[in-house]
Amino acid sequence: MIAYGSAGETLARATANILGHGVLNIKRRLFPDGEQYLKLSGDFESGAAAVFQPLFPSPDSLFMELALIADALKGAGCKEVIGVLPYIAYLRQDERFMAGEPLSAKLIARLIEAVGIDRLIAVDMHLHRYSHAKDLFRIEARNISAMALLAEYYRKKHPESDPLVVGPDAESRQWASVVASILKAECIVLEKERLGDREVKISKISGISGREVVVVDDMVSTGKTLAEVISQLKSEGASRVDALVSHALLVEDAYRSLKLAGLGDLIASDTIPSRHSSVSVAPLIAEELKGMLR
Ligand code: R5P
């Protein structure tokens, strides 16, 4: 069975099409006090169900909806619920940076398990201080990557390009190096200091005059990280700067600030569907689900 929460419809339907499955119908409404209500309808099977729900744009209520769906599936006799969470929020707070802070990354992992998700598929989880999904999750958690697909898309679009691949910060090395190896390109990883939610400082880069550059990151949220890198690359003479990201959150006027900084194309996957979703991760998820249910 394939079910989806409010943010997961596009990817759930695309994956269901590949697998030749239907999707479960869920009726949803809000109680007058703001609580969510839902009800599954259709024919239930007792086997496994996959629930699609990226935790964006409103992570907290989408998570609650995921919990309600998982509980409803279990209540309807489903033996196993596979959470397909293409984007998992809260993973960037992977340390108590200051006294009094929560360790959100561990907490979201515990919560996902607690609401009845038995196995998990995620895409390019923000893994940094916890470097593997198994360091965060006690359940089986598969972390698949959109980076190869994004790189192949770029290659088709720019067959002649010999780009420099740039990662904005230490954690981006894991994604930038995959792209660089597919493009057979040089890869540089910069250093980033975060000064606030909307302010970052990026280390200097030089010797790139006339070069085409591809900036690679797992996600773009406010766009400040990418905008800062792009401005610097352009002022150092880069001839063109494109960006490859798995998760295009693009909050507030992020896309505008990227274009103002001099961005060429933003090439993103459909973990969070948008007009920038040039690449679909549905075939990867379908393969993973087939493997899990074999
Ligand atoms: C953090 O390290 C992530 O990999 C991204 O670089 C960051 O979350 C992007 O955020 P923003 O677009 O708000 O700068």
Side-chain angles (χ1 to χ4, degrees):
M1 285 190 293
I2 294 190
Y4 59 84
S6 305
E9 178 168 4
T10 311
L11 212 40
R13 287 194 183 279
T15 307
N17 276 343
I18 295 170
L19 294 171
H21 283 246
V23 293
L24 202 62
N25 192 25
I26 302 181
K27 292 194 168 57
R28 306 165 167 85
R29 68 181 175 86
L30 280 184
F31 285 111
D33 54 12
E35 290 178 6
Q36 302 181 52
Y37 169 86
L38 57 83
K39 183 179 180 304
L40 314 177
S41 61
D43 296 328
F44 307 120
E45 292 162 24
S46 59
V51 188
F52 285 66
Q53 182 82 304
L55 298 181
F56 183 82
S58 38
D60 303 353
S61 63
L62 292 171
F63 180 78
M64 187 62 196
E65 189 191 26
L66 171 74
L68 293 170
I69 296 171
D71 187 75
L73 285 165
K74 290 269 169 82
C78 179
K79 284 196 185 63
E80 182 183 45
V81 176
I82 300 173
V84 183
L85 274 58
Y87 168 72
I88 303 183
Y90 287 106
L91 291 179
R92 285 174 292 173
Q93 178 83 22
D94 58 0
E95 191 170 291
R96 297 182 203 276
F97 299 101
M98 288 188 278
E101 289 181 345
L103 183 44
S104 313
K106 267 273 174 192
L107 177 64
I108 191 72
R110 289 295 80 76
L111 290 173
I112 288 168
E113 294 160 356
V115 300
I117 303 298
D118 302 297
R119 293 197 277 175
L120 175 70
I121 298 175
V123 181
D124 291 316
M125 278 187 212
H126 187 85
L127 295 172
H128 182 201
R129 288 169 189 85
Y130 295 95
S131 36
H132 298 286
K134 65 177 166 40
D135 301 335
L136 272 173
F137 290 91
R138 295 175 186 145
I139 54 172
E140 179 185 341
R142 301 193 181 190
N143 183 29
I144 59 183
S145 180
M147 289 298 159
L149 293 178
L150 293 167
E152 282 154 15
Y153 181 90
Y154 175 87
R155 174 51 78 218
K156 273 198 196 115
K157 211 169 170 199
H158 304 278
E160 305 300 328
S161 169
D162 173 26
L164 170 68
V165 173
V166 171
D169 51 24
E171 55 265 50
S172 68
R173 182 179 295 281
Q174 57 191 300
W175 305 297
S177 61
V178 172
V179 171
S181 83
I182 289 170
L183 298 180
K184 298 187 176 40
E186 186 189 348
C187 179
I188 295 178
V189 175
L190 305 175
E191 280 169 29
K192 176 170 90 181
E193 192 188 345
R194 187 164 277 288
L195 307 170
D197 292 349
R198 293 174 181 77
E199 202 184 348
V200 296
K201 209 170 126 190
I202 303 278
S203 59
K204 292 278 167 245
I205 183 166
S206 59
I208 51 145
S209 184
R211 291 207 65 175
E212 292 182 335
V213 182
V214 178
V215 187
V216 179
D217 210 350
D218 59 334
M219 59 193 285
V220 51
S221 177
T222 65
K224 298 302 175 199
T225 300
L226 283 188
E228 189 63 32
V229 176
I230 295 162
S231 304
Q232 215 189 116
L233 291 164
K234 292 298 274 187
S235 67
E236 287 297 319
S239 59
R240 180 182 173 93
V241 184
D242 298 299
L244 267 52
V245 299
S246 294
H247 316 297
L249 278 62
L250 293 172
V251 303
E252 300 163 355
D253 61 348
Y255 185 64
R256 191 167 163 268
S257 62
L258 296 179
K259 289 309 271 185
L260 286 175
L263 177 71
D265 290 333
L266 176 63
I267 301 171
S269 85
D270 58 353
T271 57
I272 294 165
S274 77
R275 67 193 167 98
H276 309 286
S277 302
S278 309
V279 158
S280 178
V281 294
L284 301 180
I285 293 174
E287 266 317 295
E288 211 60 39
L289 277 173
K290 271 197 249 169
M292 278 176 137
L293 298 174
R294 200 164 281 148

